[in-house]
C-alpha cells in the first residue's frame, strides 16, 4: 500500500469518525449539544473544526496601543514597505520555480517548492513538532494583523483556531466597516502585518539556531569531532551494539564530525568505487577462513562475510579481516591480493565508536542506519541529550514555515493577504501620484494581476504535489 494512499485512508477515517460522533451527539442530545457548541464558539464542518472566541479582544486594549502608538506605527510602516517588496518578490520566485521545474537537466526541482505531507515525506516522529510550529507561526501571523488593526482604530470581533484536513491555523475577525474607512496606507500596514511578523519570527529563529553552539556551551553541552547517539530504534540492526551516549567517529574510514557528515558518509558508501578492501595472503586466509562457505548462494554466516578479489572469493571472519592493511587494488598489497566485501545482503559498514567494543559491523542498506540511529552534535553529562536536537529542529521548522507563510501570503492571489495588499498598494500609489484614475481601471488591473498570480501559485503547488506523489507512490 502506497504512503499517499495510507495517508488518505487515515485522514478520511479521522474525519469520518469526527462527523459520525458529531451527528450522533446531535441526535442524542439535540439542543443541549448545539447550545454547548454555540456557547463555546465551536463549529464542526465536513473536513474542518473551528473555534471562535472574543476572550482575547481585551488584550489589545486601546490604552496599551495608544501608549506605544508611535512605536507601533513605525514598526508596521516598516512592515508595509517589506510587504510591498515581498509581494512582487513572491511572484518572481513562483515564476522562477515554475520555469525551473520544467528544465529537464534539473533533477531536484522539487526541492524549490516541496509540500510537506505528514506521514509521507515527514517522519511520524516529527509530525507533532511540525504541526505545533505551523500553528505557532500562524498565531504570530494573525497577531500582527490584530495589533496593526488596533493601532489604526479597527476593532476585532474575535479570533480563533481551526483545523483543515490535518493542518492547524489561526484567524482574526476584524471589523470590515472600520477597515474600509481607513486610508490606503493604513490598510497596507494592516494587511502586511502578518507577512512582516512571519519574517521577524524567521529571522529571530535563525539567530537562535546559528548561536546554538555558544548558548549550549553555557548549559554544559560540548561539541566534539564526533556525533553522540541519543537513541536507537528497537528495530535497528545495531540495537544491541550501540547505545545512547555512544560517540561515533567514523564510517568505513570516513570521518564523522557532525550529523551532516554522518549522512554524507552513509550515502558515499553506496559508491562502490570508494569501497576499500584488505590485503590478504594465503597464510592470513587460512587463519581467517570460515568453516562455512558464505560465498555460495543461500549460505549465510553470522560472523563471516564473502570477500572478492582478482584471485577469487573467500569466506572469512569479517571483524578480523577488516583489521588487515587497507587497499584499493592489488598494487597496494606487497603480498597477496586486495579483497573487498562482496555481500549479497547489501553493503558492509564499519562504525568506529566509543562503546566497550570500539567497532560495529553492519551489513545491509546504509539508509537503515540513517533512519534508525538518532544523533546529536552535542553531548552533556548533566542534561537531556536530546535537548539540542529539539531546539534545533524547532528553530529549523520556524525558519522554514514562517518563511514559507511570508512568501505564500504575500502572493497577490485570491483569498490570500497579497490580494488585499495589492489593492491597498495600487490605491496608495495612484493617490500619491496625484493623477485621476477611474476606480474601474484600478479594479481591472488588480484583477488581472490576481488572476495571473492565482494560476501561477496553483500550477506550482499542483506540480509540487505531483512530484511528491510520484516519489512516494
Amino acid at each position: 500500500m502506497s504512503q499517499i494512499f495510507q495517508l488518505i485512508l487515515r485522514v478520511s477515517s479521522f474525519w469520518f469518525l469526527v462527523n459520525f460522533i458529531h451527528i450522533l451527539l446531535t441526535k442524542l442530545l439535540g439542543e443541549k449539544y448545539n447550545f454547548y457548541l454555540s456557547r463555546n464558539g465551536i463549529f464542526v464542518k465536513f473536513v474542518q473544526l473551528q473555534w471562535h472566541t472574543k476572550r482575547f479582544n481585551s488584550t489589545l486594549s486601546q490604552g496599551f496601543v495608544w501608549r506605544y502608538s508611535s512605536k507601533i506605527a513605525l514598526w508596521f510602516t516598516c512592515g508595509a514597505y517589506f510587504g510591498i517588496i515581498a509581494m512582487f518578490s513572491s511572484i518572481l520566485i513562483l515564476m522562477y520555480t515554475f520555469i525551473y521545474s520544467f528544465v529537464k537537466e534539473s533533477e531536484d526541482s522539487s526541492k524549490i517548492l516541496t509540500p510537506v505531507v505528514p506521514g509521507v515525506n515527514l517522519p511520524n516522529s516529527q509530525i507533532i513538532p511540525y504541526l505545533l510550529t505551523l500553528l505557532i507561526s500562524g498565531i504570530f501571523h494573525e497577531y500582527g494583523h490584530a495589533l496593526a488593526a488596533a493601532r489604526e482604530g479597527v476593532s476585532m470581533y474575535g479570533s480563533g483556531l481551526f483545523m483543515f484536513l490535518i493542518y492547524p491555523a489561526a484567524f482574526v475577525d476584524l471589523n470590515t466597516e472600520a477597515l474600509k474607512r481607513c486610508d490606503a496606507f493604513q490598510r497596507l500596514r494592516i494587511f502586511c502585518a502578518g507577512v512582516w511578523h512571519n519574517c521577524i519570527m524567521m529571522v529571530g529563529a535563525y539567530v537562535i539556531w546559528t548561536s546554538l553552539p555558544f548558548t549550549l556551551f553555557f548549559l554544559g553541552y560540548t561539541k566534539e569531532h564526533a556525533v553522540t547517539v541519543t537513541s536507537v530504534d528497537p528495530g535497528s540492526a545495531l540495537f544491541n551494539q550501540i547505545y545512547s551516549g555512544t560517540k561515533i567517529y567514523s564510517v568505513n574510514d570516513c570521518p564523522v564530525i557532525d550529523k551532516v557528515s554522518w549522512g554524507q558518509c552513509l550515502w558515499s558508501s553506496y559508491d562502490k568505487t570508494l569501497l576499500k578492501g584488505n590485503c590478504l595472503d594465503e597464510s592470513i586466509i587460512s587463519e581467517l577462513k570460515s568453516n562455512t562457505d558464505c560465498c555460495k548462494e543461500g549460505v549465510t554466516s553470522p560472523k563471516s562475510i564473502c570477500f572478492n578479489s582478482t584471485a577469487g572469493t573467500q569466506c572469512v571472519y569479517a571483524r578480523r579481516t577488516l583489521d588487515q592493511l587497507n587497499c584499493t587494488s592489488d598494487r597496494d598489497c606487497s603480498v597477496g591480493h586486495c579483497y573487498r566485501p562482496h555481500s549479497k545482503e547489501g553493503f558492509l559498514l564499519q562504525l568506529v565508536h566509543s562503546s566497550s567494543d570500539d567497532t560495529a559491523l553492519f551489513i545491509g542498506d546504509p539508509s537503515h542506519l540513517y533512519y534508525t540511529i538518532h544523533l546529536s552534535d552535542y553531548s552533556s553529562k548533566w542534561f537531556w541529550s536530546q535537548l539540542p536536537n529539539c531546539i534545533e529542529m524547532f528553530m529549523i521548522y520556524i525558519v522554514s514555515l514562517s518563511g514559507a507563510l511570508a512568501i505564500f501570503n504575500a502572493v497577490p492571489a485570491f483569498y490570500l493577504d497579497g490580494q488585499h495588499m495589492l489593492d491597498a498598494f495600487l490605491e496608495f500609489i495612484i493617490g500619491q501620484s496625484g493623477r485621476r484614475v477611474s476606480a474601474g481601471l484600478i479594479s481591472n488591473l488588480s484583477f488581472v494581476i490576481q488572476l495571473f498570480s492565482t494560476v501561477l501559485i496553483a500550477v506550482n503547488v499542483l506540480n509540487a504535489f505531483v512530484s511528491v506523489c510520484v516519489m512516494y507512490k
Side-chain angles (χ1 to χ4, degrees), residues 115-187:
V116 177
V117 184
V120 177
N121 59 350
L122 180 71
N124 291 331
S125 60
Q126 297 184 23
I127 291 177
I128 293 178
Y130 171 81
L131 295 179
L132 181 62
T133 307
L134 182 61
L135 180 60
I136 292 172
S137 299
I139 291 174
F140 197 63
H141 175 101
E142 296 300 327
Y143 176 74
H145 288 307
L147 183 59
R151 166 60 182 79
E152 306 303 337
V154 177
S155 60
M156 184 170 66
Y157 290 136
S159 58
L161 307 174
F162 69 92
M163 178 181 178
F164 179 72
L165 291 176
I166 54 176
Y167 299 101
F171 67 91
V172 291
D173 186 11
L174 300 178
N175 186 330
T176 54
E177 293 301 321
L179 193 59
K180 291 177 182 178
R181 290 194 292 269
C182 295
D183 63 39
F185 196 75
Q186 287 177 318
R187 281 185 277 117

Side-chain angles (χ1 to χ4, degrees), residues 117-360:
V117 184
V120 177
N121 59 350
L122 180 71
N124 291 331
S125 60
Q126 297 184 23
I127 291 177
I128 293 178
Y130 171 81
L131 295 179
L132 181 62
T133 307
L134 182 61
L135 180 60
I136 292 172
S137 299
I139 291 174
F140 197 63
H141 175 101
E142 296 300 327
Y143 176 74
H145 288 307
L147 183 59
R151 166 60 182 79
E152 306 303 337
V154 177
S155 60
M156 184 170 66
Y157 290 136
S159 58
L161 307 174
F162 69 92
M163 178 181 178
F164 179 72
L165 291 176
I166 54 176
Y167 299 101
F171 67 91
V172 291
D173 186 11
L174 300 178
N175 186 330
T176 54
E177 293 301 321
L179 193 59
K180 291 177 182 178
R181 290 194 292 269
C182 295
D183 63 39
F185 196 75
Q186 287 177 318
R187 281 185 277 117
L188 200 55
R189 283 198 192 114
I190 296 171
F191 295 138
C192 293
V195 171
W196 172 238
H197 269 212
N198 279 137
C199 175
I200 296 301
M201 190 178 189
M202 178 187 68
V203 172
Y206 181 78
V207 171
I208 295 174
W209 177 26
T210 52
S211 62
L212 267 183
F214 179 79
T215 306
L216 291 172
F217 174 78
F218 288 97
L219 294 177
Y221 289 91
T222 58
K223 188 173 183 180
E224 305 176 16
H225 288 288
V227 290
T228 304
V229 177
T230 57
S231 64
V232 182
D233 291 347
S236 175
L238 299 182
F239 181 66
N240 292 320
Q241 296 188 51
I242 293 180
Y243 308 95
S244 178
T246 300
K247 291 181 174 60
I248 298 177
Y249 299 101
S250 66
V251 177
N252 287 359
D253 295 330
C254 177
V256 176
I257 60 175
D258 52 28
K259 290 189 293 184
V260 174
S261 61
W262 160 255
Q264 291 173 341
C265 288
L266 290 179
W267 305 142
S268 66
S269 63
Y270 284 105
D271 189 350
K272 293 184 178 181
T273 61
L274 301 176
L275 182 63
K276 292 184 178 181
N278 300 89
C279 292
L280 303 178
D281 59 18
E282 292 298 329
S283 61
I284 297 177
I285 291 174
S286 61
E287 180 183 346
L288 302 180
K289 194 169 184 178
S290 173
N291 294 328
T292 58
D293 189 359
C294 57
C295 293
K296 287 185 177 180
E297 188 70 28
V299 179
T300 58
S301 175
K303 296 182 179 180
S304 305
I305 295 176
C306 182
F307 281 73
N308 184 38
S309 76
T310 56
T313 58
Q314 295 289 345
C315 182
V316 292
Y317 290 108
R319 188 177 295 276
R320 294 172 61 188
T321 300
L322 293 175
D323 292 335
Q324 306 304 314
L325 180 67
N326 287 335
C327 59
T328 57
S329 67
D330 289 346
R331 292 192 298 270
D332 298 330
C333 303
S334 57
V335 292
H337 299 276
C338 184
Y339 282 81
R340 287 189 176 89
H342 181 68
S343 174
K344 300 179 289 293
E345 301 174 7
F347 298 85
L348 172 64
L349 302 182
Q350 183 180 25
L351 280 67
V352 178
H353 56 82
S354 62
S355 294
S356 55
D357 188 0
D358 60 358
T359 61

